[in-house]
Amino acid sequence: MSVQSEVRRLTAPDIRARKGGEPIVCLTSYHAHTAAIADKHCDVILVGDSLGMVMHGLETTVPVTLDMMILQGRAVMRGSRRALVVVDMPFGSYEASKEQAFTNCARVLKETGCGAVKMEGGTRMAETIGFLAERGVPVMGHVGLTPQAINVIGAFRALGRDVAEWDRFEADAKAVAQAGAFALVIEAVAEPLARKITTYVPIPTIGIGASVACDGQVLVMEDMLGLSPRVPKFVKRYGDLGPGIDKAIADYAAEVRARTFPGSEHVYPMKAKKP
Ligand code: KIV
């Protein structure tokens, strides 16, 4: 009999069942090693398309490809054991039709082994989300600020600060929930709107810049660790790793130049000669 105890990975239904319960902790990760650390503390690891900006230095998430998401999704799956891993569908991989969405979501699920996908958009994506959910693809919705729409919206800004704007966002949230999404990211909306949406949608809301009223929170790991040069108002910096990395690399460079690294303790000695 095996003595190994298997860690059970959280599933989309587990997260769905957390509505109104213990807050859901979600963080982005794009690599195996950071995923292993996040896995100890988080319920959900999001392989966000923010990787285009954070890892690749792109100005927006628009150029991110499905292959980039699959590569990093696989790394995160290898590094984690317990958290539900959700992979973002990048711009252009799911909007054309529900069939296109199914083909590409199936590729993501098969090639990464992740437990769910995320896609941006409210009412306009409802039919697709329903189609996917009926065919075995758990979908996390994403409403409010949708960064993939940057070329239409013009700039990243907080939304719903005027009640006149609310109808659209409320309709989006309702449509995504009714379509069968298991959870909903709400990005950069005023607190009262996030609270209202959280109260009436039956699925957990996961806020990013949407207040403590949400059922859970998500942040971009590099933003909260102090590794991103510019961050939105809603980011709290829980660490300041930039100066530590800077010092470590400066010390390394200085020691290489001074020929003090590698020292004798980092060198392989010859085998002792047999008598
Ligand atoms: O891509 C991402 O990291 C995201 C979060 C900001 C929610 O979508």
Side-chain angles (χ1 to χ4, degrees), residues 144-146 150 153-162 165 168-169 187-190 209 232 234:
L145 180 69
T146 49
I150 184 66
I153 59 182
F156 298 129
R157 67 171 183 94
L159 300 166
R161 297 178 70 203
D162 182 340
E165 277 185 351
R168 179 161 63 93
F169 298 116
E187 179 162 354
V189 307
F234 56 71

Side-chain angles (χ1 to χ4, degrees), residues 51-136:
L51 66 79
M53 300 169 78
V54 172
M55 284 181 71
H56 296 274
L58 296 168
E59 279 297 310
T60 74
T61 55
V62 172
V64 172
T65 65
L66 198 58
D67 287 340
M68 288 161 84
M69 298 309 303
I70 289 174
L71 191 65
Q72 299 331 127
R74 288 161 82 166
V76 168
M77 282 301 292
R78 279 194 290 269
S80 62
R81 294 194 306 160
R82 180 188 162 270
L84 170 67
V85 174
V86 179
V87 174
D88 238 347
M89 296 304 291
F91 178 70
S93 70
Y94 63 97
E95 305 92 327
S97 67
K98 48 193 197 305
E99 289 79 13
Q100 179 211 26
F102 181 78
T103 302
N104 287 328
C105 289
R107 216 189 127 196
V108 169
L109 293 182
K110 280 171 188 276
E111 294 182 28
T112 67
C114 74
V117 298
K118 176 168 84 59
M119 57 187 57
E120 296 184 7
T123 313
R124 72 181 164 86
M125 290 312 303
E127 191 190 351
T128 297
I129 292 171
F131 185 84
L132 295 171
E134 281 169 8
R135 286 163 178 76

